[in-house]
Amino acid sequence: MNALRAELRRALGEMMPSDRSSESGDICRKLRNEIDAALPSVIAAFYPLPFEVQILPALDGLMGSGIQLAFPRVEDRTSEMVFHLADPSLSSHWDTGPMGLRQPAPGLPVWIPQSSHDLFLVPGLGFGLQGERIGRGAGHYDRYLSMKPGFRLGIGFDRQLLDSLPQRSWDQRLDGVLTGFRRVGRPF
């Protein structure tokens, strides 16, 4: 599994910045169309790392329309992930976590998913056509999603979507995957 993660990281690192920006824009447009059609009450998003899809433009203005945004916070590689309601446009809502991740500042309201109509935007290093996902290896999303309702949509570049990926017993499948060129899985 570590060799596969290394290969996926290498493929992401080889992306030209212009291709990353262009496909991020395409994904944001498609994602916003899905959000506007489904109108989830809460979107559990992620603050993207530089090599990930830059999803924040798709979330602009949603809080004013009544959709709440939640983002994950972790204390270290082994701690449980907790989502907090946060506004990505307010710098006071953010700090940098122990793994260099941008995450909600402590003290913001905790969000606990309660509806299958909540939308999880899930990052990863790789995705499979049947909803498989490989993350960075700490298992935060797998542990969290195993206990929570909601629609799980993987967000990645097209080069991250492979025919299939090996899975372990604890890996959580996604309901769909969205790239700049493809949308696989069931509709939200």
Side-chain angles (χ1 to χ4, degrees), residues 5 9 19 31 49-50 64 75 90 92 98 103 105 126-127 129 131 149 151 153 159 163 167 183 188:
R5 279 193 181 90
R9 281 188 182 102
D19 293 340
L31 177 58
L49 292 168
E75 298 304 322
L90 298 177
S92 64
Q103 61 182 19
F127 305 94
L129 295 176
F151 189 89
L153 183 62
R159 66 180 52 207
D163 288 341
Q167 297 288 274
R183 168 66 163 84
F188 179 49

Side-chain angles (χ1 to χ4, degrees), residues 42-91:
V42 178
I43 298 173
F46 59 93
Y47 204 104
L49 292 168
F51 63 85
E52 292 177 323
V53 174
Q54 300 303 301
I55 63 166
L56 296 182
L59 306 178
D60 281 349
L62 289 177
M63 293 183 77
S65 69
I67 296 174
Q68 294 183 299
L69 300 177
F71 293 84
R73 179 175 178 83
V74 297
E75 298 304 322
D76 56 44
R77 265 187 89 70
T78 60
S79 68
E80 293 301 314
M81 185 165 65
V82 176
F83 278 82
H84 294 263
L85 298 174
D87 183 340
S89 68
L90 298 177
S91 61

Side-chain angles (χ1 to χ4, degrees), residues 44-176:
F46 59 93
Y47 204 104
L49 292 168
F51 63 85
E52 292 177 323
V53 174
Q54 300 303 301
I55 63 166
L56 296 182
L59 306 178
D60 281 349
L62 289 177
M63 293 183 77
S65 69
I67 296 174
Q68 294 183 299
L69 300 177
F71 293 84
R73 179 175 178 83
V74 297
E75 298 304 322
D76 56 44
R77 265 187 89 70
T78 60
S79 68
E80 293 301 314
M81 185 165 65
V82 176
F83 278 82
H84 294 263
L85 298 174
D87 183 340
S89 68
L90 298 177
S91 61
S92 64
H93 280 202
W94 301 96
D95 69 3
T96 302
M99 295 174 286
L101 299 172
R102 200 83 170 125
Q103 61 182 19
L108 291 174
V110 171
W111 171 69
I112 299 173
Q114 298 177 11
S115 169
S116 61
H117 199 62
D118 294 329
L119 174 60
F120 284 93
L121 304 180
V122 185
L125 290 175
F127 305 94
L129 295 176
Q130 301 303 312
E132 310 98 294
R133 174 187 166 273
I134 291 182
R136 289 191 285 277
H140 288 109
Y141 275 92
D142 290 317
R143 287 191 305 274
Y144 192 86
L145 293 174
S146 71
M147 303 177 292
K148 305 294 189 253
F151 189 89
R152 306 159 180 193
L153 183 62
I155 303 291
F157 296 108
D158 202 62
R159 66 180 52 207
Q160 293 175 267
L161 183 57
L162 308 175
D163 288 341
S164 65
L165 290 173
Q167 297 288 274
R168 296 186 176 139
S169 62
W170 58 83
D171 290 328
Q172 297 297 303
R173 287 197 183 256
L174 304 172
D175 298 302

